[in-house]
Each structure stands twice: as C-alpha cells, then as structure tokens.
Amino acid sequence: MYIKVCGMRDAQNIRDVEALGVDILGFIFWPKSKRYVSEQPAYLPVKAQRAGVFVNASPDEVVQKVKEYGLQYVQLHGDEDLAYVTSLQNLLATSVANKPRIIRAIHVESRSKVLKAMMWDGFVDGILFEAPTTGYGGSGESFDWSLLSSYRGNTPFFITGGIGPQSLDALLEFEHPQWIGVDLNSRFESSPAFKDIALLRPFVEALKDMKD
C-alpha cells in the first residue's frame, strides 16, 4: 500500500516527512489552494516520489511542472475529461523521458458516481476517491467508504479526505482488491502546508506495519 502525503511546501518539512518512509509527496500547483507552491522549495524529495496536483491547467503547463519538479505522478482535480487526458498523455509521451503516471480525482457522492469512475479504465493509472465538495480540491472531510464496494474497475485507487489519526481502525478494516493507498493532508497539519511530524509519525508507522 502506498502512503502519500500531499500539500507539501516547506523544505525542512519535506525532509522530515520523507524521512518517515512515505512513498509519495504531493505538491499543489493550483493558485487558489492554501497549499499552493508558488516557487520551488529548496529541497525536493529524493527517496519518495513526487506528485503534482493540478486543477484545469493546460497540458503545456502540466508538462512544464513535470520537467521542473521531476514529477512521477500527475494528479487531476478539475474538470479534465477523457479528451484532455488523451491529449496530455500524448504530449507527455513526446515531451519527457520518463512519462509520469496520471491519477484522476473523483468525488464520491453516490454508488452511481463510483460506477461512473470505471470510464477512466485505460486512460489513467490511478483514481483518487475523495469526499464531494462545491469547489475544486479536497474538502478535508471523509466520505462513506462502503460506497466503494460497488467499484469494479481495473484501475487501482487511493482513498483521501479527512483521514487522520482517528481513521486508523477503519483503514485496518477496509478491504478492496483495487485499493492501493491513502492520501494524507490537512488532518496532520499544524498549519496549511506544514505537517506535524509528531502526529504523522505513529500513523505512518502503523500503516507501514499494515503494508507488511
């Protein structure tokens, strides 16, 4: 199981979170986010992989960030459709040596929305199921994970939204053959874009034990 920590920005905080042994660190490139990365941090992860979060960015802008930050993942949280993803995949294939994986965020409002997520099979490498919100980006709230039992797609998925220390028991009980990871963010912060290491460490250690 992958452990992803999103909304990173501070160089030393990036070092400290990476040292916990997480798999992926996320950087948000949406200007309206409180965790927006306006300039490259003095340190970028070396052992953990790098993900970039985008909302309705042009394919050219995504490619630019992939090159600038050495991204291994591109995470889409806007209105991007299948045509957009196809165009982006083609552009990435001809523009960068190591094409990043693409993750599509899906708001889970109902079982029908989960079933509709299967339309992304063959277009993206991963799905990120999150709580519904009126705008873009994460809401910091959880959703009913039991709705995911109706998912029969071939694309593996992450769970995000309101996951905090209180979520550990539920994660230990959750099962799905396509579930591959969790995305952690606001519930482990002391302030926007700054993760509380003392809070995050025991949770990550428990998840790593779960992976074993």
Side-chain angles (χ1 to χ4, degrees):
M1 185 181 69
Y2 291 99
I3 302 173
K4 178 177 178 288
V5 179
C6 199
M8 303 302 299
R9 189 166 58 202
D10 177 82
Q12 186 56 52
N13 200 224
I14 293 169
R15 290 180 185 273
D16 292 341
V17 173
E18 181 182 33
L20 298 179
V22 303
D23 302 290
I24 307 168
L25 292 179
F27 301 88
I28 298 176
F29 299 117
W30 183 43
K32 294 185 179 180
S33 171
K34 292 184 291 185
R35 298 164 184 85
Y36 173 57
V37 180
S38 60
E39 60 183 30
Q40 189 174 122
Y43 176 79
L44 291 174
V46 177
K47 294 181 179 179
Q49 294 188 308
R50 309 169 189 178
V53 177
F54 301 89
V55 175
N56 298 330
S58 70
D60 286 337
E61 180 183 346
V62 174
V63 169
Q64 178 185 346
K65 294 297 184 186
V66 168
K67 292 178 177 178
E68 183 182 350
Y69 283 77
L71 301 178
Q72 286 100 4
Y73 291 87
V74 167
Q75 194 170 304
L76 304 175
H77 278 259
D79 303 310
E80 302 88 357
D81 57 13
L82 295 178
Y84 172 95
V85 171
T86 299
S87 176
L88 177 59
Q89 292 274 31
N90 292 335
L91 185 59
L92 286 167
T94 59
S95 302
V96 296
N98 298 308
K99 190 165 74 73
R101 297 179 179 181
I102 295 182
I103 298 173
R104 184 68 174 96
I106 302 290
H107 291 165
V108 179
E109 299 149 342
S110 62
R111 291 190 185 278
S112 62
K113 194 66 179 286
V114 173
L115 290 170
K116 191 176 180 180
M118 290 184 278
M119 66 183 280
W120 293 96
D121 278 358
F123 288 88
V124 299
D125 304 286
I127 289 174
L128 182 74
F129 285 120
E130 63 180 1
T133 179
T134 55
Y136 299 113
S139 66
E141 301 298 327
S142 61
F143 66 93
D144 183 1
W145 297 350
S146 68
L147 295 173
L148 300 180
S149 63
S150 61
Y151 180 68
R152 295 292 184 270
N154 296 317
T155 307
F157 67 83
F158 292 76
I159 297 176
T160 192
I163 297 177
Q166 79 291 343
S167 308
L168 188 58
D169 288 343
L171 286 172
L172 293 174
E173 295 176 2
F174 182 77
E175 293 182 356
H176 193 288
Q178 294 289 19
W179 177 43
I180 61 166
V182 295
D183 190 337
L184 313 177
N185 196 346
S186 60
R187 295 298 177 95
F188 291 95
E189 289 184 333
S190 54
S191 60
F194 197 90
K195 303 303 183 284
D196 184 331
I197 301 301
L199 192 63
L200 187 60
R201 177 180 288 109
F203 193 83
V204 169
E205 289 176 351
L207 288 182
K208 289 170 70 176
D209 288 342
M210 175 181 168
K211 289 168 63 175
D212 298 335

